[in-house]
Amino acid sequence: MALREEILSVIEKNSRIGLDELSAAIGAAEIDVANEVKAMEDEGVICAYHTMIDWSKTSIEKVMALIEVKVTPTRGMGFDSISERIYKFPQVSSLYLMSGSFDLMVIVEGKSLLEVANFVNTKLAVLDTVQSTATHFILKKYKDHGTILTAKYEDTREKVSP
């Protein structure tokens, strides 16, 4: 595997890893790793570094929804112009062009179900090229970006033998 692919596979799972640990993990010189990481940041291969938070373990109320959106593409721009209008809303955390029965998957965050519903009703569904939406609220996360968020169930009942 090339140096670039090795670096990406490690930092995708742990973006906080230090250059010394990263270079040791892939068996490359630290300066080579540092230069390659910098080059990938400059090229936009590495877009950002994120922290995954299990919000259910905090006192902060947060609601996430997946919104399927069917749109009419714009002549000459396809889905790009409507996508740009949608991703500029601060409530939108992710936006994907999809295959299948709908065109876009919009991931929205809000403080309540009502806040997300108001966003859909007053901002998203009223856009001129939006034909329809279907909102799915996330009730519980079990695994996110490869990380298991729930503890494995352990049966704590006393064993009874005949």
Side-chain angles (χ1 to χ4, degrees):
M1 189 183 311
L3 177 63
R4 185 170 274 218
E5 286 78 22
E6 289 183 78
I7 292 170
L8 292 173
S9 67
V10 171
I11 66 172
E12 183 178 36
K13 292 176 181 63
N14 180 7
S15 63
R16 287 184 50 142
I17 192 169
L19 282 174
D20 55 339
E21 289 179 82
L22 179 57
S23 60
I26 63 177
E30 192 172 326
I31 188 68
D32 294 336
V33 171
N35 289 337
E36 194 63 35
V37 167
K38 175 73 170 110
M40 288 188 286
E41 289 171 345
D42 292 345
E43 295 168 22
V45 173
I46 298 173
C47 302
Y49 297 92
H50 296 279
T51 301
M52 184 182 307
I53 299 167
D54 187 350
W55 291 103
S56 68
K57 295 180 180 173
T58 71
S59 61
I60 298 170
E61 294 292 323
K62 193 170 251 202
V63 173
M64 289 185 70
L66 307 175
I67 305 168
E68 299 173 352
V69 182
K70 189 155 189 61
V71 300
T72 304
T74 308
R75 183 179 304 275
M77 290 294 292
F79 295 98
D80 293 345
S81 63
I82 185 64
S83 296
E84 184 177 354
R85 287 178 68 188
I86 293 170
Y87 70 61
K88 286 184 176 180
F89 288 116
Q91 298 89 337
V92 175
S93 64
S94 300
L95 176 63
Y96 306 100
L97 178 63
M98 305 293 289
S99 64
S101 60
F102 58 94
D103 302 308
L104 301 172
M105 173 63 75
V106 183
I107 301 177
V108 173
E109 295 181 359
K111 293 178 181 175
S112 67
L113 297 174
L114 183 60
E115 185 177 293
V116 172
N118 283 336
F119 167 76
V120 174
N121 291 333
T122 63
K123 303 279 194 237
L124 185 60
V126 297
L127 294 173
D128 53 351
T129 59
V130 171
Q131 296 174 10
S132 65
T133 65
T135 302
H136 308 276
F137 288 99
I138 295 174
L139 303 177
K140 183 176 182 178
K141 288 185 183 181
Y142 293 97
K143 187 174 184 178
D144 193 7
H145 290 85
T147 301
I148 297 171
L149 299 175
T150 58
K152 189 174 181 180
Y153 172 76
E154 290 185 37
D155 190 351
T156 56
R157 296 177 295 175
E158 189 174 319
K159 293 184 180 176
V160 177
S161 53

